[in-house]
Coordinates of all heavy atoms in Angstrom, one line a residue:
Q494 N 65.4 -36.3 42.8 CA 65.4 -36.6 41.4 C 66.8 -36.4 40.8 O 67.5 -35.5 41.2 CB 64.4 -35.7 40.7 CG 62.9 -35.9 41.1 CD 62.0 -35.1 40.3 OE1 62.4 -34.2 39.6 NE2 60.7 -35.3 40.5
G729 N 42.7 -79.0 15.4 CA 42.1 -79.8 16.5 C 43.1 -80.4 17.4 O 42.8 -81.3 18.2
W1172 N 12.0 -47.3 43.9 CA 12.5 -46.1 44.5 C 11.5 -45.0 44.5 O 11.4 -44.3 45.5 CB 13.8 -45.7 43.8 CG 14.9 -46.7 44.0 CD1 15.2 -47.4 45.1 CD2 15.9 -47.0 43.0 NE1 16.3 -48.2 44.9 CE2 16.8 -48.0 43.6 CE3 16.2 -46.6 41.7 CZ2 17.9 -48.5 43.0 CZ3 17.3 -47.1 41.1 CH2 18.1 -48.1 41.7
P1179 N 3.2 -38.1 46.2 CA 2.1 -38.3 45.3 C 2.1 -37.4 44.0 O 1.5 -37.8 43.0 CB 0.8 -38.0 46.2 CG 1.3 -37.1 47.2 CD 2.8 -37.5 47.5
A1205 N -1.1 -64.5 41.4 CA -0.4 -65.7 41.8 C 0.0 -65.5 43.3 O 0.0 -66.5 44.0 CB 0.9 -65.9 40.9
P1233 N -28.9 -85.5 63.3 CA -28.0 -86.5 62.6 C -27.9 -86.3 61.1 O -27.0 -86.7 60.5 CB -28.7 -87.9 62.9 CG -29.5 -87.6 64.2 CD -30.0 -86.2 64.0
D1290 N -1.2 -53.8 55.6 CA -2.0 -55.0 56.0 C -1.3 -55.9 57.0 O -1.8 -56.9 57.3 CB -2.3 -55.8 54.7 CG -1.0 -56.2 54.0 OD1 0.1 -55.7 54.4 OD2 -1.1 -57.0 53.0
C1394 N -21.0 -38.0 84.5 CA -20.5 -37.7 85.9 C -21.3 -36.6 86.5 O -21.7 -36.7 87.7 CB -19.0 -37.4 85.9 SG -18.0 -38.7 85.4
D1602 N 44.9 12.2 29.0 CA 45.7 11.0 29.4 C 44.8 9.7 29.5 O 45.2 8.7 29.1 CB 46.3 11.2 30.8 CG 47.3 12.4 30.8 OD1 47.8 12.7 29.7 OD2 47.6 12.9 31.8

Side-chain angles (χ1 to χ4, degrees):
Q494 294 184 354
W1172 293 326
D1290 54 354
C1394 295
D1602 294 340

